[in-house]
Amino acid sequence: MQTIEELRRQIDGINHELLALLSKRAEIVAQIGRIKSLEGKSQSHYDPVREEQQLRDLEARNPGPFSNAVIKKIFTEIFRASLDLEESNDKKQLLV
Amino acid sequence: MQTIEELRRQIDGINHELLALLSKRAEIVAQIGRIKSLEGKSQSHYDPVREEQQLRDLEARNPGPFSNAVIKKIFTEIFRASLDLEESNDKKQLLV
């Protein structure tokens, strides 16, 4: 049996992978925001249809042990964070 | 330049990786919970010192673009979800 210390080291490793993926995801979301701005269709970055599509996809693939409700809650937090970042990027561009 | 569709496919791929890592992380947290129960030291699974240690580690490694405050918010949501899962596991054991 593994010790608590070994398991915690595994969790730290997963945390680092999650952080790297979240950061990469945020960069891609920023790229999409820039394309939308160039195409002049970025009144708002909030896209409920696209969010719903991602949530349905994740719920269909969810292996557990987290319930779909919990997965939805975590990803909704990620969507909100990405949206806030996009909106602060817009404000920076307006100030230039 | 990549199209929005291509970038969205990349985001879908990252979502799947995040889901797999979150699920793996939840399994490891459950293993730690079982060890603590066996050792008779699981009055509560909430461990603020260990959570703080994880947050400090993540903040030190955060490459951006998310601020440390946002990373803390997302991971705190993950910690809460893991804790809820542990506590519901405890209740199931009590009912057996």
Side-chain angles (χ1 to χ4, degrees):
Chain A
M1 197 168 79
Q2 293 179 92
T3 65
I4 289 182
E5 272 316 300
E6 284 164 350
L7 294 168
R8 284 185 166 170
R9 270 197 295 276
Q10 288 180 32
I11 286 183
D12 287 339
I14 291 176
N15 285 351
H16 302 159
E17 287 183 75
L18 286 168
L19 178 64
L21 284 168
L22 288 169
S23 304
K24 193 172 152 195
R25 191 183 183 288
E27 298 286 1
I28 298 174
V29 170
Q31 265 183 276
I32 292 177
R34 282 192 292 271
I35 295 174
K36 281 189 181 171
S37 292
L38 286 173
E39 291 177 350
K41 51 181 170 185
S42 73
Q43 292 309 306
S44 163
H45 293 285
Y46 177 52
D47 186 344
V49 174
R50 169 69 182 145
E51 286 194 4
E52 195 52 41
Q53 181 199 328
Q54 289 178 81
L55 290 174
R56 276 202 309 271
D57 174 47
L58 288 160
E59 288 173 4
R61 289 167 180 268
N62 180 16
F66 283 135
S67 66
N68 280 347
V70 167
I71 291 300
K72 183 174 177 176
K73 212 169 159 192
I74 295 173
F75 274 87
T76 301
E77 193 68 61
I78 296 170
F79 298 159
R80 284 297 78 73
S82 304
L83 201 61
D84 288 349
L85 200 65
E86 282 304 281
E87 285 172 359
S88 81
N89 284 346
D90 281 355
K91 276 186 205 137
K92 274 182 218 151
Q93 283 172 352
L94 284 174
L95 292 172
V96 169
Chain B
M1 198 167 77
Q2 292 178 95
T3 65
I4 289 182
E5 272 317 299
E6 285 164 351
L7 294 168
R8 283 185 167 170
R9 271 197 295 275
Q10 287 180 32
I11 286 183
D12 287 339
I14 290 176
N15 285 351
H16 302 159
E17 287 183 76
L18 287 168
L19 178 64
L21 284 168
L22 288 169
S23 304
K24 194 172 154 195
R25 191 182 184 289
E27 299 287 1
I28 299 174
V29 170
Q31 265 182 275
I32 293 177
R34 282 192 294 271
I35 296 175
K36 281 188 180 172
S37 292
L38 285 173
E39 293 177 350
K41 51 181 171 187
S42 73
Q43 293 309 306
S44 163
H45 293 284
Y46 177 52
D47 185 344
V49 174
R50 170 67 183 146
E51 286 195 4
E52 195 51 41
Q53 181 198 330
Q54 290 178 79
L55 290 174
R56 276 201 309 271
D57 174 46
L58 288 161
E59 287 173 4
R61 288 166 180 268
N62 180 16
F66 283 134
S67 67
N68 280 347
V70 167
I71 291 300
K72 184 174 176 175
K73 213 169 159 192
I74 295 173
F75 275 87
T76 300
E77 193 68 60
I78 297 170
F79 298 159
R80 286 295 78 73
S82 304
L83 200 61
D84 289 349
L85 200 65
E86 282 305 280
E87 285 171 358
S88 81
N89 285 344
D90 281 356
K91 276 185 205 137
K92 274 182 219 152
Q93 284 172 352
L94 284 175
L95 292 172
V96 169

